Amino acid sequence: MSLQCGIVGLPNVGKSTLFNCLSNAKAQSANFPFCTIEPNVGVITVPDERLNKLAELVHPQRIVPTTVEIVDIAGLVKGASKGEGLGNKFLANIRETDAILHVLRCFDDDNITHVDGSVNPVRDKEIIDFELQLKDLETIEARISKVQKQAQTGGDKAAKVAYEVLSRYKEALEQGKAARTVTFETKDEQKIAHDLFLLTNKPVMYICNVDDNSAVSGNKYVEMVREAVKDENAEILILAAKTESEIAEFETYEERQMFLNEIGLEESGVSRLIRAAYSLLNLETYFTAGPQEVRAWTYLKGSKAPQCAGIIHTDFEKGFIRAEVIKYDDYIALGSESACKEAGKMYIEGKDYVVQDGDIMHFRFNV
């Protein structure tokens, strides 16, 4: 499943440093704007302790985790919507992603230049918001000019619905609000809204990149961001990219945990970020467990059993008969598939079953 989160932000806020922590791919990291020009793509393993616990019970030949794609996109500057800096490239790259990880500089460091001369994460956020909103408004106005006459003078019902959707988006964008703040009730409206692929309609998480001493509790800059986004449908995550780069240098899990304990963290910010990115993309995990492998499979939240079966192989979906489902907690408590079956904890589900996060699945099919 090739859904992607794009890391965005102004130049020199720590995007590439963070990407390097996330991925084995090494994006160039330097103290000047536009260091990242082509987007770097990293396929990142999603940490999931459930996979390890299942493996401890099953003793498979191999363990296969699930992954998420992270894209490091060039830094944006004022005027990007008009092509300033690398604006056109930035906007094209972000349009191709499914969710946004917006990195904000929340630390002071005289040795690292800020593109606007001072540290102010709310101003930085508003610069990018404004550029994305301008580009979306340009898209909306172009579409409105095509459907307005049909909607107002003709009997075209589809054009009327489209015009209503476009008008509501236009009103919000002109007020400086993101498209994601507008909601629609009917399926027709929702489909039109989705097909516009607006930049500010993508789910967003604000990553507050703090100094080492603020990694646990945050700082004044984080509080500024919290206040600024309180009315948005967005999440905040605090991490220190510099600290994360130090954690990434340790070779063993034990060394990393010892370092984390010393600085007062239970787990790395990178681990929290990867799971948060996975959730931001509306993804969940089901498992298959057997002597050959214990494997995590990624699916879109709300998917039904045949669609989830098709992720393994298209034949599984075409010839779907039923799914045998064991809940994760039951499997861990009873210790094996056979014990779950004997205890009546294996459930037979049909094509309308909505798969739940953590389900252990076995599909029956015939083609």
Side-chain angles (χ1 to χ4, degrees):
M1 188 171 294
S2 59
L3 295 181
Q4 295 181 335
C5 277
I7 300 180
V8 305
L10 294 180
N12 295 345
V13 298
K15 299 187 316 304
S16 294
T17 301
L18 181 57
F19 179 82
N20 290 342
C21 297
L22 287 164
S23 172
N24 289 329
K26 292 296 180 184
Q28 184 187 5
S29 180
N31 184 22
F32 57 88
F34 311 133
C35 179
T36 305
I37 298 175
E38 293 300 325
N40 295 281
V41 181
V43 180
I44 317 298
T45 297
V46 178
D48 194 328
E49 190 57 31
R50 296 174 300 181
L51 190 66
N52 299 327
K53 289 186 177 180
L54 285 172
E56 288 172 8
L57 295 173
V58 178
H59 305 294
Q61 292 177 24
R62 63 175 183 163
I63 304 169
V64 184
T66 191
T67 59
V68 63
E69 288 190 10
I70 307 288
V71 186
D72 180 25
I73 297 172
L76 176 147
V77 294
K78 287 179 183 176
S81 58
K82 304 301 180 186
E84 291 294 325
L86 296 169
N88 290 331
K89 202 168 194 65
F90 172 95
L91 294 166
N93 290 335
I94 196 173
R95 196 177 293 283
E96 293 172 7
T97 64
D98 301 282
I100 298 170
L101 304 175
H102 187 161
V103 182
L104 296 169
R105 177 171 169 174
C106 294
F107 65 90
D108 292 307
D109 188 335
D110 293 338
N111 295 318
I112 301 177
T113 307
H114 190 288
V115 72
D116 281 325
S118 62
V119 177
N120 185 331
V122 174
R123 176 203 59 210
D124 295 353
K125 168 193 172 303
E126 289 173 349
I127 287 171
I128 289 190
D129 284 351
F130 181 70
E131 297 300 332
L132 298 184
Q133 287 164 13
L134 275 182
K135 202 65 182 177
D136 279 349
L137 193 56
E138 186 181 298
T139 299
I140 293 297
E141 288 175 339
R143 296 291 182 93
I144 281 181
S145 66
K146 292 180 180 179
V147 302
Q148 186 171 10
K149 190 173 181 180
Q150 292 171 283
Q152 292 178 340
T153 61
D156 190 333
K157 290 183 179 179
K160 287 182 179 179
V161 175
Y163 181 69
E164 175 61 26
V165 169
L166 292 164
S167 297
R168 288 188 59 193
Y169 273 144
K170 186 172 186 288
E171 182 182 2
L173 291 164
E174 287 177 340
Q175 292 173 1
K177 297 177 182 177
R180 78 180 71 88
T181 63
V182 182
T183 57
F184 298 99
E185 300 298 325
T186 71
K187 287 186 178 180
D188 287 344
E189 289 174 330
Q190 290 167 1
K191 184 179 187 311
I192 291 166
H194 175 268
D195 290 348
L196 290 168
F197 299 106
L198 298 178
L199 298 172
T200 64
N201 216 9
K202 297 176 186 290
V204 64
M205 173 179 292
Y206 295 103
I207 300 170
C208 295
N209 183 16
V210 299
D211 58 278
D212 295 355
N213 295 329
S214 305
V216 177
S217 56
N219 57 27
K220 64 179 182 180
Y221 295 126
V222 174
E223 293 311 309
M224 288 168 61
V225 175
R226 244 188 250 287
E227 179 65 22
V229 306
K230 65 182 181 181
D231 295 326
E232 287 190 35
N233 184 20
E235 298 179 48
I236 290 178
L237 187 139
I238 304 168
L239 58 73
K242 186 180 175 185
T243 301
E244 296 299 322
S245 63
E246 292 173 8
I247 294 169
E249 304 242 335
F250 291 110
E251 293 186 4
T252 68
Y253 173 80
E254 289 74 18
E255 287 176 320
R256 288 193 293 272
Q257 287 305 120
M258 191 178 299
F259 181 78
L260 286 167
N261 291 337
E262 286 176 5
I263 61 176
L265 292 173
E266 292 184 9
E267 64 174 340
S268 71
V270 161
S271 292
R272 289 184 288 115
L273 173 56
I274 295 169
R275 284 201 303 274
Y278 193 73
S279 176
L280 195 65
L281 289 167
N282 205 28
L283 299 177
E284 292 184 334
T285 303
Y286 75 83
F287 302 99
T288 52
Q292 289 192 330
E293 71 172 23
V294 169
R295 183 166 185 151
W297 298 89
T298 299
Y299 68 94
L300 276 173
K301 185 177 181 179
S303 296
K304 294 184 178 180
Q307 288 76 53
C308 287
I311 293 166
I312 298 176
H313 196 286
T314 53
D315 284 350
F316 283 31
E317 182 174 2
K318 289 176 187 174
F320 179 87
I321 299 172
R322 66 178 184 272
E324 296 169 356
V325 184
I326 300 172
K327 296 300 177 185
Y328 171 79
D329 289 342
D330 291 336
Y331 200 110
I332 296 301
L334 296 170
S336 70
E337 180 179 316
S338 58
C340 290
K341 197 170 184 178
E342 287 174 15
K345 295 296 185 180
M346 177 184 282
Y347 305 97
I348 307 302
E349 303 289 355
K351 63 181 181 180
D352 291 328
Y353 176 68
V354 177
V355 176
Q356 302 299 302
D357 186 51
D359 280 353
I360 294 127
M361 311 285 292
H362 184 72
F363 299 105
R364 300 292 183 182
F365 70 101
N366 182 30
V367 289

